[in-house]
Amino acid sequence: MTTETTTEHVTRADEADGTARADGTARADGTAGGPPAGADGAEERGEAARGATRWLTDEEQAVWQAYLQASTLLDDYLDRQLQRDAKMPHVYYGLLVRLSDAPGRRLRMTELACHAKITRSRLSHAVARLERNGWVRREDCPSDKRGQFAVLTEDGAGMLRRSAPGHVAAVRSALFDRLTPEQQRSLGEIMGVIAQGLQPDGSGGRPDLPWLR
């Protein structure tokens, strides 16, 4: 969920003065965004109008900036808490939780990457670090010579038990204690809609999803 916060101005005003880049950020020099000059400029402007960019309204921009700032601050807060108290980043803690919840405390590496929404290379690096700490071990898959399982060890389960109370307290204080029950339900629904849009049903084979890259 970590997103680099940038000064993004993607309102209709940017479209009007031709200062918006293709990625939606405003350019200070005002050199991008407009149709090329010349005799065919009118034709270019007509094509641009037919496929006009849907710039964010002021209200949408405010919502987008609020999301970027909150998500970045929340990720940083939780990561610092876990680094301080458990000596691991947030993503590693999430992997231990996924393994703890799995039958036999084990998952195929491909399944674990899918659950964690990370690339296979990033997962391989994370599991290697967790192995060095003695919290996870890898086992070959008997039915697939190329496949491997990630298995939560007793030491890993113990670390999870010790670190979970502090992490839950951090999540509650940063998020749930600030929201009413109705706001919590709305947030869950909104995040579900966004996730569904990025990973629709039946998209397991889409090559652009993180765990398939």
Side-chain angles (χ1 to χ4, degrees), residues 152-176:
L152 183 68
T153 66
E154 286 300 326
D155 284 348
M159 168 55 72
L160 194 57
R161 285 192 296 270
R162 292 191 297 274
S163 58
H167 184 60
V168 169
V171 170
R172 184 168 292 285
S173 126
L175 182 65
F176 291 100

Side-chain angles (χ1 to χ4, degrees), residues 8-128:
E8 296 186 63
H9 297 290
V10 287
T11 63
R12 283 195 295 267
D14 298 315
E15 182 183 31
D17 65 13
T19 62
R21 287 196 297 248
D23 65 358
T25 59
R27 289 187 60 163
D29 60 5
T31 58
D40 60 348
E43 181 181 349
E44 294 289 344
R45 283 192 294 273
E47 291 179 0
R50 286 192 291 275
T53 300
R54 296 176 59 215
W55 302 111
L56 300 184
T57 65
D58 290 344
E59 184 176 355
E60 289 169 335
Q61 181 66 233
V63 171
W64 175 236
Q65 290 296 326
Y67 166 78
L68 287 178
Q69 293 175 25
S71 60
T72 301
L73 288 169
L74 181 60
D75 270 355
D76 178 72
Y77 176 76
L78 296 178
D79 202 65
R80 285 187 293 108
Q81 180 269 318
L82 282 166
Q83 292 278 17
R84 182 185 67 244
D85 297 344
K87 304 298 186 289
M88 69 174 119
H90 194 196
V91 66
Y92 290 11
Y93 179 87
L95 295 175
L96 296 183
V97 170
R98 292 292 181 182
L99 291 174
S100 177
D101 291 341
R105 299 197 305 203
R106 68 178 56 217
L107 281 172
R108 289 281 295 265
M109 290 284 284
T110 50
E111 291 179 281
L112 186 55
C114 178
H115 284 304
K117 312 302 183 198
I118 59 176
T119 62
R120 288 172 289 185
S121 61
R122 186 180 182 190
L123 175 67
S124 181
H125 176 76
V127 169

Side-chain angles (χ1 to χ4, degrees), residues 103-205:
R105 299 197 305 203
R106 68 178 56 217
L107 281 172
R108 289 281 295 265
M109 290 284 284
T110 50
E111 291 179 281
L112 186 55
C114 178
H115 284 304
K117 312 302 183 198
I118 59 176
T119 62
R120 288 172 289 185
S121 61
R122 186 180 182 190
L123 175 67
S124 181
H125 176 76
V127 169
R129 290 283 302 274
L130 293 171
E131 277 186 303
R132 288 198 291 273
N133 289 340
W135 299 340
V136 169
R137 69 173 182 273
R138 276 184 268 202
E139 296 179 354
D140 291 334
C141 177
S143 61
D144 181 359
K145 292 183 179 180
R146 296 180 301 173
Q148 283 189 316
F149 284 98
V151 183
L152 183 68
T153 66
E154 286 300 326
D155 284 348
M159 168 55 72
L160 194 57
R161 285 192 296 270
R162 292 191 297 274
S163 58
H167 184 60
V168 169
V171 170
R172 184 168 292 285
S173 126
L175 182 65
F176 291 100
D177 287 350
R178 301 174 186 273
L179 302 176
T180 66
E182 183 178 355
Q183 288 172 326
Q184 293 173 20
R185 287 191 294 271
S186 295
L187 179 63
E189 292 171 0
I190 291 167
M191 294 297 103
V193 168
I194 294 172
Q196 176 64 24
L198 295 172
Q199 185 194 341
D201 291 338
S203 66

